[in-house]
Amino acid sequence: MANSKYEYVKSFEQSDVLLPNTWIVVRIDGRGFHKLSDKYGFEKPNDRRALDLMNAAAVDVMKELPDLNIAYGVSDEYSFVFHPSCQLFERRSAKLVSTIVSTFTASYIYRWPTFFPSTPLEPPHLPTFDGRAVLYPTTKILRDYMSWRQVDCHINNLYNTTFWAMVQKGGMSNKDAEKELQGTVSSDKNEILFKRFGINYNNEPEIFKKGSVVYRQYQLEDPTSTSKDSETGEPPEPETQKEMSRSQQDKLRKLRRKAQVVVEHVDIIKDDFWNRRPWILSNRPGRLPTES
């Protein structure tokens, strides 16, 4: 582009390149979704249609951005994870966040009629999302983050399930139900659900209790034979940004595009999930399920 006397304004732009060799988590949240859920009559405490819509939009994001390794969603939030070696958009925070937020929002609105055919969207009550990028320096801390979100899902869902049972089935006011639940622990809520309403919380749908995990599916590994370094006996370290050239990154993207993106509602706190799917943390695609 030709130089001009106005080009000096570029000097006001600030670099927002994220630190290299760190896990990038782009977390998006619905804006004003309490009002949105009331406007369109979301079921309480959980609306399966709304959750399935969130998951469908997340799958679209994963397909659009093969650099993503995994995503986790609950309620009106989703966390999308990039490997430390990711060089997409030169690791510029604004580009990564805005691309995920805009792609997710576009898909959410486009797919809305499929999940809510009788309640079309009406301005100004349109779904919007905000986002932010957070860096995690180690795999352990990344897993702790994912565990935190799933624990939070369980805690909030147990509370909401109990609260709305007291209101909808017990005839209590919102204020009285909230007051009675103050200071209670999980066992108290489970007892209220079972003794008053005959609800066994363990039988609630897994999507409500565990949230949704979105990732690319390859052949599951035997946890007892997870790949380890031949010299140290430890799991191999993730490839760093310096170790992967642009051509290697492009090759990985092509391999990832061939894999099916799946949605599951499983425990991601225990090691089993990660050991059976080592490609998520290693960033090395496995064998497709159709391969022998």
Side-chain angles (χ1 to χ4, degrees):
M1 184 172 64
N3 294 329
S4 75
K5 66 178 183 180
Y6 305 111
E7 194 170 358
Y8 76 93
V9 298
K10 291 181 63 178
S11 64
F12 290 89
E13 296 180 11
Q14 293 185 331
S15 172
D16 64 346
V17 175
L18 298 171
L19 288 173
N21 302 328
T22 54
W23 291 95
I24 303 172
V25 175
V26 175
R27 176 175 163 182
I28 69 172
D29 290 277
R31 297 182 63 249
F33 259 58
H34 286 296
K35 293 182 179 179
L36 187 85
S37 64
D38 290 339
K39 164 66 179 177
Y40 296 107
F42 284 18
E43 297 175 3
K44 308 287 187 181
N46 296 291
D47 192 308
R48 182 59 189 260
R49 301 167 301 172
L51 294 176
D52 287 342
L53 174 55
M54 290 285 293
N55 293 340
V59 168
D60 286 343
V61 173
M62 290 287 288
K63 290 180 178 179
E64 180 68 21
L65 300 175
D67 293 77
L68 286 166
N69 288 55
I70 190 172
Y72 176 78
V74 55
S75 186
D76 64 339
E77 74 169 56
Y78 241 101
S79 297
F80 295 90
V81 181
F82 291 100
H83 190 264
S85 64
C86 175
Q87 300 174 49
L88 182 64
F89 301 134
E90 291 76 44
R91 296 176 69 87
R92 291 157 61 190
S93 178
K95 293 278 284 187
L96 291 169
V97 173
S98 61
T99 297
I100 287 183
V101 170
S102 60
T103 303
F104 189 95
T105 304
S107 174
Y108 189 96
I109 293 175
Y110 173 77
R111 293 185 178 276
W112 177 276
T114 301
F115 297 91
F116 293 90
S118 60
T119 51
L121 291 171
E122 299 177 355
H125 306 286
L126 298 177
T128 58
F129 297 84
D130 60 39
R132 78 218 73 167
V134 184
L135 303 180
Y136 296 101
T138 67
T139 300
K140 178 185 182 302
I141 296 178
L142 171 75
R143 281 193 53 183
D144 284 347
Y145 169 80
M146 303 291 280
S147 298
W148 170 51
R149 298 319 306 139
Q150 189 161 67
V151 168
D152 207 50
C153 170
H154 162 69
I155 292 173
N156 289 335
N157 186 65
L158 178 57
Y159 179 91
N160 290 333
T161 301
T162 309
F163 175 86
W164 286 107
M166 296 167 72
V167 172
Q168 295 173 342
K169 298 183 178 182
M172 298 180 66
S173 67
N174 289 16
K175 185 177 181 180
D176 288 341
E178 183 178 350
K179 183 176 181 180
E180 183 172 341
L181 288 175
Q182 286 181 352
T184 58
V185 296
S186 295
S187 59
D188 299 326
K189 298 180 183 71
N190 276 287
E191 185 175 0
I192 291 173
L193 286 172
F194 188 74
K195 288 190 175 181
R196 295 190 195 179
F197 309 108
I199 298 174
N200 185 338
Y201 183 75
N202 292 329
N203 295 333
E204 290 294 293
E206 295 298 293
I207 186 175
F208 300 159
K209 296 184 296 181
K210 292 185 171 67
S212 300
V213 189
V214 184
Y215 64 95
R216 290 176 179 80
Q217 181 67 288
Y218 301 98
Q219 285 189 13
L220 296 177
E221 300 283 344
D222 181 350
T224 61
S225 61
T226 302
S227 175
K228 293 186 178 182
D229 186 278
S230 59
E231 295 183 1
T232 66
E234 297 296 327
E237 287 295 321
E239 295 182 56
T240 64
Q241 187 172 344
K242 292 181 180 179
E243 293 171 338
M244 297 193 69
S245 65
R246 186 174 297 275
S247 62
Q248 288 174 315
Q249 289 276 339
D250 291 339
K251 182 179 179 180
L252 283 177
R253 290 190 186 102
K254 291 179 181 178
L255 290 173
R256 293 191 190 105
R257 288 190 186 279
K258 295 180 180 180
Q260 180 185 4
V261 177
V262 297
V263 180
E264 293 185 343
H265 318 293
V266 295
D267 190 320
I268 59 173
I269 299 174
K270 297 178 182 177
D271 293 336
D272 184 70
F273 172 85
W274 305 96
N275 290 342
R276 300 204 69 192
R277 302 161 183 83
W279 59 84
I280 295 176
L281 297 179
S282 71
N283 205 38
R284 301 184 183 98
R287 290 191 301 169
L288 295 175
T290 55
E291 295 179 2
S292 59

